[in-house]
Amino acid sequence: MATADLREELTCPICLSIYTDPVILSCGHNFCLGCIESVLGTQEGSGVYSCPECRKTFTKKPKLQRNIALCNVMKHLQITQPEQKDTGVFCTYCVHSPVPAAKSCLLCEASLCDTHLRVHSKSEEHVLTEPTTSWGNRKCSTHKELLKYYCTEDAACICVSCSLAGVHRGHQVELLNEASEKKKEKLRDVLQKLTTKREKTEKRVQSLQEYRRGVQEKSAGVTERLTALIRDIRKQLEDLEKRVLSDITRQQEQVLLTISDLIQQLEKEKDELTRKMSHIEELCNMTDPLTVLQEQESHRDDFCGAEKGDNEVTQRGDKQVLAGGDLDEDLISVTLYRGLADIVTDVKREIYMQVTSDVLLDINTANNNVIVSGDLKTASWSRINQQRPVTPERFTDAPQVLSTRSFSSGQHYWEVQTSKSGRWCVGVCYTSMGRGGLQSLLGNTNKSWGLYSDNKDLYMEYNTIDTSLHPPLSCDTVGILLDYEAGHLTFYELCDPIRHVHTVTVTFTEPLQAVFWVMDDGSWVRILH
């Protein structure tokens, strides 16, 4: 009650709102500065001014003195009173200054501030709502009456006339408040479900963010590790290059030394032959027969001896050149091969990947429409029955063949080359997979997984479920990586660049074998070394 009285004392008699910049007249009455200036402005023409509250007259326009005490009270009131929500709707009756509306009356189609709301009619016809300027959607478009009921059959808000004589006559109706509460209850249920779903979504987002961070951290770790590995490979290759080039240089020096020694010997022999030739030419130019004849025997011996010695030196030199006069390229090749093999071994050990080189086809499991090559590497389809004996291991209905070895642990990798025509499939299966009927077809049960290529269509099949893969293969070589403990079976297209095709993730419970399936003329699959 005291609060209401205080608000009354602080209300401007002109605008009926809380004072704004209050001023006082000499008669003692207070007004908003804007309100009293507006009133006094209308009185200027009459030459007499009067107080709107007590009607006291003034011959001159009264001085407007700011009420300091009231201003302080107003300032304190603004601090202690909660700030009124600004809805953008203003009081219809506060014409001198915009005052936010507290409620709207649907009957009057007017908005009211707190002050005008106190003097507004409280009868039931005057329905008060939150401040609004949209009156049209509050009344019936047909009868222009307030919407008071809710038709549950047509899910529509209606007026009294609609319920009594309109199209909704006889329908089940509810008061707007009751219908609103029921709808709010449903909305709360929906809100609860949406809240739960949002929480799950937030957890999923957090999980994915953590997974993304994990991928980034793993990528950084793999990048660092492989960078170090490649740097080490480059260092080993540089060392191998130096070693091989050093061997070539050493061999070259040995060969050149042998050739240099031989050249030196031949140069000496050439000088000796030149000397003898000069002596013989001198004899030939002599005119004294006796001198020539006396020298004949000795020179003949020299000639024979020189010829014999020449042959010995030449043969000995040829043998030396043949024995060590060329580079030993085989030795260089062996050195290079061993060095590269050591590097490859280190790389395999570093990346923990075993390249399985002994994957061979088990002819004892081959269907009689599958031809197996002599090296047990190629499986091709044939219309001609191979007339092999029937055994428990052999596939009787599916045109496929297993590998000789099985995998029960570790990482294994092998590559296959495929035909460009016909249909083929590569994959793995449990050793216990059936050998006859539909259960023996690769990917047709929960015991096998197969990558199928069928007329350019590429798909993964497991337990009769096909997973289409796009795009189709663009080259004829496929790499298969099996990680038994991790439960990963991954297929790669070995084009440039290498493309990841598909990864199967499963917990393997039995030993696995590689499977190769072929169908149609011209279809084949070959295991590469």
Side-chain angles (χ1 to χ4, degrees):
M1 193 68 185
T3 302
D5 292 341
L6 177 61
R7 291 188 66 87
E8 231 177 271
E9 291 295 329
L10 299 178
T11 300
C12 173
I14 298 175
C15 65
L16 300 180
S17 299
I18 300 297
Y19 287 121
T20 303
D21 196 10
V23 293
I24 187 170
L25 297 181
S26 59
C27 60
H29 293 107
N30 297 290
F31 304 94
C32 295
L33 176 61
C35 294
I36 190 60
E37 282 185 339
S38 178
V39 172
L40 295 176
T42 60
Q43 297 175 352
E44 283 184 356
S46 63
V48 178
Y49 300 92
S50 61
C51 171
E53 185 75 8
C54 65
R55 300 301 177 184
K56 179 180 177 180
T57 59
F58 306 92
T59 56
K60 291 183 180 181
K61 186 175 181 180
K63 277 189 173 185
L64 302 177
Q65 186 175 355
R66 196 160 181 257
N67 192 330
I68 303 299
L70 196 55
C71 284
N72 292 333
V73 172
M74 296 302 303
K75 188 180 296 184
H76 179 73
L77 183 66
Q78 289 175 354
I79 294 173
T80 56
Q81 290 292 324
E83 186 178 350
Q84 191 170 13
K85 184 179 178 181
D86 186 5
T87 61
V89 180
F90 299 97
C91 178
T92 306
Y93 303 106
C94 293
V95 295
H96 298 292
S97 60
V99 178
K103 294 288 183 180
S104 291
C105 177
L106 300 183
L107 180 63
C108 302
E109 294 189 4
S111 298
L112 307 103
C113 64
D114 287 332
T115 302
H116 290 102
L117 186 60
R118 290 199 303 273
V119 298
H120 190 73
S121 174
K122 303 297 189 293
S123 62
E124 292 184 0
E125 291 84 2
H126 294 270
V127 179
L128 298 175
T129 66
E130 293 303 313
T132 181
T133 56
S134 303
W135 312 107
N137 61 355
R138 299 284 181 171
K139 292 186 176 183
C140 175
S141 58
T142 304
H143 304 102
K144 305 305 179 185
E145 296 178 9
L146 287 176
L147 300 174
K148 290 187 175 182
Y149 301 101
Y150 180 76
C151 176
T152 57
E153 295 183 24
D154 297 330
C157 296
I158 62 175
C159 66
V160 176
S161 298
C162 289
S163 176
L164 297 176
V167 295
H168 301 278
R169 184 176 58 183
H171 290 184
Q172 180 76 24
V173 297
E174 297 176 347
L175 292 174
L176 290 180
N177 288 339
E178 295 176 358
S180 175
E181 287 303 320
K182 290 182 180 179
K183 185 172 183 178
K184 285 180 181 179
E185 193 64 32
K186 292 181 181 178
L187 289 175
R188 290 187 188 98
D189 292 339
V190 174
L191 180 61
Q192 182 61 41
K193 292 178 181 178
L194 292 177
T195 302
T196 303
K197 187 174 181 180
R198 186 181 67 179
E199 290 174 354
K200 291 181 179 179
T201 304
E202 288 176 350
K203 290 181 180 179
R204 179 63 177 160
V205 169
Q206 292 175 356
S207 175
L208 289 175
Q209 288 174 341
E210 292 175 1
Y211 182 74
R212 180 175 63 184
R213 284 194 296 270
V215 170
Q216 291 172 337
E217 292 173 0
K218 183 177 181 181
S219 176
V222 172
T223 299
E224 183 179 356
R225 181 166 61 87
L226 291 185
T227 299
L229 175 61
I230 293 172
R231 185 167 53 245
D232 184 58
I233 292 172
R234 190 179 295 113
K235 177 66 168 55
Q236 292 185 62
L237 286 174
E238 290 174 354
D239 292 343
L240 178 60
E241 179 187 17
K242 291 177 182 178
R243 189 163 67 250
V244 172
L245 293 180
S246 177
D247 287 348
I248 294 173
T249 301
R250 179 179 53 79
Q251 289 190 39
Q252 173 186 282
E253 290 175 350
Q254 291 177 351
V255 171
L256 293 181
L257 181 61
T258 302
I259 295 174
S260 296
D261 290 344
L262 182 58
I263 289 174
Q264 189 175 4
Q265 294 177 27
L266 291 175
E267 288 289 347
K268 290 180 180 179
E269 183 179 349
K270 186 181 73 171
D271 292 342
E272 182 64 22
L273 290 173
T274 300
R275 185 187 61 77
K276 291 180 179 181
M277 288 172 60
S278 297
H279 183 63
I280 292 172
E281 286 178 355
E282 289 177 2
L283 289 175
C284 290
N285 292 328
M286 287 184 180
T287 56
D288 183 6
L290 183 61
T291 304
V292 173
L293 291 174
Q294 287 176 345
E295 292 285 339
Q296 182 178 2
E297 294 299 325
S298 61
H299 282 292
R300 183 169 55 201
D301 294 339
D302 288 341
F303 176 75
C304 293
E307 185 178 30
K308 181 180 179 181
D310 176 56
N311 289 336
E312 289 178 357
V313 171
T314 302
Q315 291 174 2
R316 186 171 65 251
D318 290 344
K319 288 180 180 179
Q320 289 175 345
V321 171
L322 290 174
D326 200 0
L327 296 179
D328 189 346
E329 293 189 34
D330 291 338
L331 176 60
I332 296 171
S333 297
V334 170
T335 303
L336 184 61
Y337 174 80
R338 290 305 309 157
L340 291 174
D342 291 341
I343 293 174
V344 170
T345 300
D346 291 342
V347 171
K348 289 179 181 178
R349 188 182 300 112
E350 183 68 26
I351 63 176
Y352 309 105
M353 177 173 163
Q354 177 182 352
V355 178
T356 310
S357 58
D358 59 346
V359 177
L360 299 174
L361 301 177
D362 185 0
I363 197 169
N364 294 322
T365 65
N367 178 268
N368 277 327
N369 289 108
V370 176
I371 299 176
V372 177
S373 62
D375 62 357
L376 304 180
K377 289 287 185 178
T378 304
S380 55
W381 189 82
S382 173
R383 296 178 182 273
I384 301 174
N385 190 301
Q386 303 300 302
Q387 301 297 325
R388 299 188 185 100
V390 177
T391 62
E393 297 83 11
R394 191 175 309 286
F395 289 105
T396 58
D397 299 302
Q400 58 198 30
V401 58
L402 298 179
S403 62
T404 54
R405 68 164 297 172
S406 60
F407 315 102
S408 56
S409 64
Q411 273 191 339
H412 304 275
Y413 176 79
W414 62 97
E415 297 176 356
V416 295
Q417 186 178 12
T418 64
S419 60
K420 295 182 179 179
S421 61
R423 292 173 288 172
W424 55 263
C425 179
V426 292
V428 297
C429 71
Y430 289 138
T431 55
S432 63
M433 185 175 73
R435 298 298 196 265
L438 292 177
Q439 65 174 343
S440 66
L441 184 60
L442 183 56
N444 209 46
T445 66
N446 61 356
K447 290 179 175 288
S448 60
W449 300 260
L451 178 72
Y452 276 88
S453 177
D454 185 356
N455 297 321
K456 299 298 182 181
D457 289 333
L458 190 67
Y459 58 93
M460 189 75 198
E461 185 169 354
Y462 166 69
N463 204 16
T464 70
I465 299 174
D466 295 345
T467 303
S468 296
L469 304 174
H470 300 285
L473 297 178
S474 59
C475 66
D476 61 357
T477 310
V478 176
I480 304 168
L481 177 61
L482 170 65
D483 190 333
Y484 192 94
E485 282 77 13
H488 292 160
L489 175 65
T490 305
F491 298 88
Y492 298 95
E493 181 184 19
L494 303 182
C495 51
D496 188 12
I498 295 175
R499 177 173 72 94
H500 172 260
V501 176
H502 187 69
T503 295
V504 173
T505 301
V506 65
T507 300
F508 296 121
T509 57
E510 299 179 33
L512 296 164
Q513 288 178 274
V515 194
F516 307 88
W517 178 93
V518 287
M519 178 66 80
D520 300 334
D521 292 326
S523 64
W524 53 268
V525 175
R526 178 168 181 77
I527 305 169
L528 299 177
H529 292 287

